[in-house]
Amino acid sequence: MPRVSVCIPSYQHKSFVKDSIYSVIAQTYQDFEIVVTDDGSTDGTVDIIESINDPRLKLKRFPENRGACCALNDTLQRAEGEYVCFLPSDDIFLPTKLEQQVAYLDAHPEIGAVFSYPVFIDEGNNVIPDQSSTFNGNVFLMQNRSQSEWLRHFFFVGNCLCHPSLMIRKNCYAQLGAYDERLAQLPDFEMWIRLLTAYPIHIMPEPLVGFRILNNGLNASAPKPTSIVRINWEDVCIRRQYANFPDKLFAEIFEPEIKALNIDQSIDRSIALGRICMATNIDFLHRLGLELLHDAIPAYSHGSNLKGITYAEYIQNTGNADIYNVLPARKMKMIENILKA
């Protein structure tokens, strides 16, 4: 059994996949397997992979494109190592990544996963001089936090962990399950939330991966209109799980809001989280808040036995939270009509 499984979901990366795989083969730590699932590439990516002669390379090809998360889960299912890393087929590992992260996890059995900083590279493997100029900017340059502090940051701010920098214990997935294949933009973020409910993590404050920035916004995480719209939907879906957190963890994460809003911790958790969402100025949290409150409040109670919120407060929220941006759209329509007149 290899100690480390490097899982590579590949798709349409003929120009980069050889560099990705050879960055693993060139590691200073050599006890690994390379598990590749190609997601129906049609550009010759598979031909490049098959040309690499290394017995540790295990390739499977989907006959058609199924989605990046499906390919990711397939590599995870086939992985046999004690530790697992993921490497997109256009990114690279820096030479000591496996050595440093294996040593850290061996020395810290309480840690579920270890991450690092990335360094942004261009299509020619050159380090981008102004790292903050990329669309990811400095988002991954995070300090270490407690589990509840990470989960609070995730809820109110968002993802800040670099997936290609990950090394995780395989048994974490046995407990947590695989990645959610309904998510296209944020399956890693959803996994980090599940991971942090069960295990502490650690960030090594140095670059151990090369995160490639493709020309013309071709990265899956680049801010394209479709991805921006999709991220807002996935943000709502992902944060729903906070309503099911254990009482102690929920109280630690939202202690300031519970005090500020005078929330009785004995009330329905969905009502508590819904009120917290509605007290923010974050649009997608308003949508989540309304959905949670609508589902938790009974349709017929005449106001009796309703704990934690009143019908009047809920109705007021539905009028104040313009979650579909109706008012700006109507305003623009009015302006258009005036201009046409």
Side-chain angles (χ1 to χ4, degrees):
M1 291 286 188
R3 286 212 73 198
V4 179
S5 295
V6 178
C7 296
I8 303 180
S10 67
Y11 181 64
Q12 303 293 74
H13 281 155
K14 176 182 177 180
S15 300
F16 310 114
V17 68
K18 179 178 284 188
D19 285 345
S20 293
I21 292 174
Y22 273 105
S23 77
V24 181
I25 294 173
Q27 288 289 298
T28 56
Y29 184 90
Q30 288 286 302
D31 189 2
F32 60 76
E33 63 175 353
I34 305 173
V35 184
V36 183
T37 298
D38 184 79
D39 193 20
S41 295
T42 57
D43 67 341
T45 294
V46 172
D47 296 333
I48 298 296
I49 298 170
E50 289 178 335
S51 73
I52 299 173
N53 184 22
D54 191 302
R56 296 168 295 184
L57 177 60
K58 303 172 183 179
L59 171 65
K60 178 179 176 179
R61 183 178 187 181
F62 287 165
E64 70 286 319
N65 180 250
R66 300 180 186 176
C69 202
C70 296
L72 181 66
N73 278 339
D74 186 78
T75 62
L76 178 59
Q77 185 177 31
R78 296 191 291 125
E80 297 182 338
E82 177 184 355
Y83 301 142
V84 176
C85 298
F86 290 103
L87 179 62
S89 54
D90 57 342
D91 294 335
I92 61 173
F93 284 170
L94 301 189
T96 64
K97 179 188 191 294
L98 298 188
E99 180 182 4
Q100 290 194 59
Q101 292 187 324
V102 166
Y104 188 89
L105 289 178
D106 282 350
H108 298 86
E110 76 283 2
I111 298 295
V114 61
F115 297 79
S116 78
Y117 294 165
V119 60
F120 298 115
I121 60 175
D122 63 20
E123 293 192 357
N125 290 333
N126 303 301
V127 174
I128 296 173
D130 182 5
Q131 294 279 291
S132 63
S133 67
T134 69
F135 62 84
N136 281 308
N138 296 321
V139 68
F140 299 125
L141 304 183
M142 292 287 112
Q143 301 297 315
N144 283 293
R145 294 174 164 92
S146 69
Q147 288 170 254
S148 61
E149 288 170 339
W150 276 120
L151 290 166
R152 179 176 176 81
H153 183 88
F154 288 163
F155 190 83
F156 290 111
V157 181
N159 190 19
C160 54
L161 299 176
C162 181
H163 197 189
S165 78
L166 167 75
M167 180 179 283
I168 185 171
R169 299 181 193 277
K170 178 83 181 308
N171 60 17
C172 289
Y173 291 113
Q175 177 180 345
L176 302 170
Y179 292 82
D180 188 337
E181 295 177 3
R182 297 169 297 180
L183 304 174
Q185 303 296 144
L186 304 175
D188 54 336
F189 180 39
E190 192 273 340
M191 178 58 74
W192 307 154
I193 293 173
R194 278 189 276 157
L195 175 66
L196 264 299
T197 63
Y199 298 93
I201 64 169
H202 180 76
I203 296 180
M204 305 182 81
E206 61 181 298
L208 294 178
V209 297
F211 190 116
R212 194 180 304 278
I213 304 298
L214 302 177
N215 296 334
N216 303 314
L218 293 179
N219 291 79
S221 54
K224 300 182 285 288
T226 53
S227 62
I228 292 171
V229 171
R230 189 179 296 117
I231 284 172
N232 275 270
W233 166 245
E234 293 185 1
D235 272 328
V236 172
C237 297
I238 288 169
R239 285 165 172 81
R240 272 186 167 269
Q241 62 186 293
Y242 279 73
N244 299 318
F245 281 4
D247 291 342
K248 183 175 182 295
L249 182 59
F250 187 89
E252 289 176 0
I253 295 168
F254 298 112
E255 181 180 4
E257 289 72 30
I258 290 171
K259 289 182 178 178
L261 299 173
N262 195 27
I263 294 175
D264 183 343
Q265 294 189 55
S266 68
I267 68 173
D268 185 291
R269 181 65 55 72
S270 292
I271 291 178
L273 187 59
R275 288 189 59 199
I276 291 169
C277 289
M278 299 312 299
T280 72
N281 60 357
I282 303 171
D283 289 345
F284 72 82
L285 287 184
H286 290 169
R287 174 168 180 164
L288 174 59
L290 290 181
E291 290 180 359
L292 290 168
L293 293 174
H294 183 272
D295 292 345
I297 297 172
Y300 310 104
S301 78
H302 306 292
S304 62
N305 300 320
L306 188 58
K307 193 173 183 180
I309 194 172
T310 65
Y311 284 92
E313 181 182 349
Y314 169 68
I315 297 300
Q316 185 178 31
N317 283 329
T318 62
N320 291 336
D322 184 16
I323 61 174
Y324 297 107
N325 292 313
V326 174
L327 298 180
R330 287 185 177 178
K331 185 175 181 180
M332 287 300 300
K333 189 66 176 178
M334 290 173 61
I335 294 173
E336 290 174 3
N337 291 335
I338 291 172
L339 293 174
K340 289 177 182 178

